[in-house]
Amino acid sequence: MTKFAARMISSGVVIVAMAGAVLTAQTATTQKPFEPKVGQSGKDVVWVPTPQATVDAMLDMAKLTKSDFLIDLGSGDGITVITAAKRGARAMGIEFNPDMVALAQKNAKEAGMTERATFTQGDFFKTDFSKANVLTMFLLPSLNERLRPLILDMKPGTRVVTNTFRMGSGDDEWKPTDEKRVDPCESSWCTAILYIVPAKVEGTWTVGSDTMTLTQKFQMVSGTWGNAPITGELTGYDISLSGGGRQYTGRVSEDGKMMKGENWTATRK
Ligand SMILES: C[S@@+](CC[C@H](N)C(=O)[O-])C[C@H]1O[C@@H](n2cnc3c(N)ncnc32)[C@H](O)[C@@H]1O
């Protein structure tokens, strides 16, 4: 081999080595692990994690069991979904930010929970969450209100627990069934608020020879039974009514066409 050829080969090796080094450095830069930052922007709301103590209080309040399927809307780093999975429930997070989805999947893997804790990338306004029977969220009040019609169409009895923010306000508030502030609390985000999706009973019913007419606002009902005014409240499918000095409790059928108590049955007209 001539000296010239040897120099060419060795400089070629140097060039290839240098190119390799540049490529490695570039890859290292692009593969720098994603670091979430509290307050980072999100599609409709920034990311702020729910403190672990609040997550625990939310799942306690929902009375989460192993047979439940929980969905967390805007699941962030996965803390609620993974905690639910650790309690034996199946749980899924819907999160718009793909980096947060990857982070939550990594956290689930590290916790050994990948079988029960899953995450999907998407917009919670466009992703079907109706299969959940426990719904959790830490979103702004305006988002809660936009989601409210979809939530009210979920199966009656679905438990919905929010961190801190309510479902509407003033006259348009869906009144919570339970509310508890975690104490001590490491941040401001420490209030678990429970809602239970009510069955739909608005309309006209036949009860024996009487007509009962009900209007409904969230879980609260009012109307008339015969000529007597009546008020009531729903907890999922369970209904309690009072009027004319009497109390009636019963259950709404799954198809919403019948209500039945110990001494009374109402059928939709
Ligand atoms: C306040 S953080 C709550 C995170 C988590 N649920 C928790 O409690 O720790 C809200 C999350 O919703 C996500 N997000 C915002 N808008 C969204 C949308 N339209 N669809 C899905 N995720 C969204 C954000 O990226 C952020 O991770």
Side-chain angles (χ1 to χ4, degrees):
M1 193 188 302
T2 65
K3 271 189 182 170
F4 179 72
R7 265 218 312 276
M8 282 301 284
I9 289 169
S10 73
S11 60
V13 169
V14 171
I15 288 167
V16 168
M18 278 169 62
V22 169
L23 211 68
T24 311
Q26 270 178 356
T27 313
T29 319
T30 47
Q31 284 186 347
K32 195 168 162 247
F34 165 72
E35 287 277 348
K37 291 198 180 58
V38 174
Q40 75 193 14
S41 61
K43 184 173 181 298
D44 291 297
V45 60
V46 300
W47 174 63
V48 176
T50 294
Q52 183 66 58
T54 309
V55 171
D56 292 337
M58 289 167 73
L59 301 188
D60 288 348
M61 194 172 265
K63 297 192 171 74
L64 188 80
T65 69
K66 289 182 178 164
S67 50
D68 286 324
F69 176 42
L70 175 146
I71 291 184
D72 188 40
L73 300 181
S75 46
D77 65 0
I79 186 165
T80 306
V81 169
I82 293 166
T83 307
K86 284 182 181 167
R87 292 188 181 202
R90 272 186 318 122
M92 185 179 95
I94 301 171
E95 168 60 52
F96 194 77
N97 180 336
D99 288 327
M100 293 304 281
V101 172
L103 176 68
Q105 283 166 335
K106 180 172 154 277
N107 291 343
K109 193 168 180 200
E110 281 169 12
M113 287 296 132
T114 47
E115 268 190 29
R116 289 197 297 273
T118 57
F119 298 90
T120 182
Q121 191 277 323
D123 181 342
F124 47 60
F125 284 112
K126 296 182 182 157
T127 309
D128 181 16
F129 54 83
S130 63
K131 293 271 184 303
N133 65 345
V134 177
L135 194 69
T136 51
M137 43 214 267
F138 179 25
L139 304 171
L140 293 172
S142 57
L143 297 176
N144 291 354
E145 271 189 66
R146 278 173 62 196
L147 287 162
R148 199 171 67 181
L150 297 174
I151 294 173
L152 285 164
D153 272 345
M154 292 176 82
K155 193 169 168 8
T158 299
R159 292 99 81 201
V160 183
V161 197
T162 71
N163 175 359
T164 303
F165 296 115
R166 291 164 170 272
M167 295 270 183
S169 58
D171 280 350
D172 190 38
E173 183 179 11
W174 178 3
K175 296 259 181 327
T177 294
D178 198 2
E179 182 166 349
K180 186 183 166 207
R181 197 178 149 74
V182 176
D183 187 25
C185 178
E186 68 195 64
S187 76
S188 322
W189 315 117
C190 298
T191 305
I193 307 174
L194 173 72
Y195 300 87
I196 295 178
V197 174
K200 293 186 170 77
V201 296
E202 182 151 313
T204 310
W205 300 79
T206 302
V207 197
S209 55
D210 290 333
T211 293
M212 179 164 70
T213 304
L214 297 177
T215 55
Q216 177 173 359
K217 196 162 188 193
F218 309 115
Q219 73 272 45
M220 307 310 289
V221 293
S222 59
T224 51
W225 185 333
N227 293 323
I230 193 159
T231 56
E233 188 166 348
L234 286 145
T235 306
Y237 288 108
D238 292 326
I239 187 161
S240 62
L241 294 165
S242 58
R246 295 187 65 180
Q247 291 269 41
Y248 305 87
T249 56
R251 201 164 161 81
V252 184
S253 62
E254 288 212 9
D255 64 7
K257 291 184 177 160
M258 193 184 274
M259 293 190 264
K260 207 168 166 23
E262 221 168 83
N263 303 314
W264 63 284
T265 300
T267 45
R268 267 200 196 273
K269 275 206 172 191

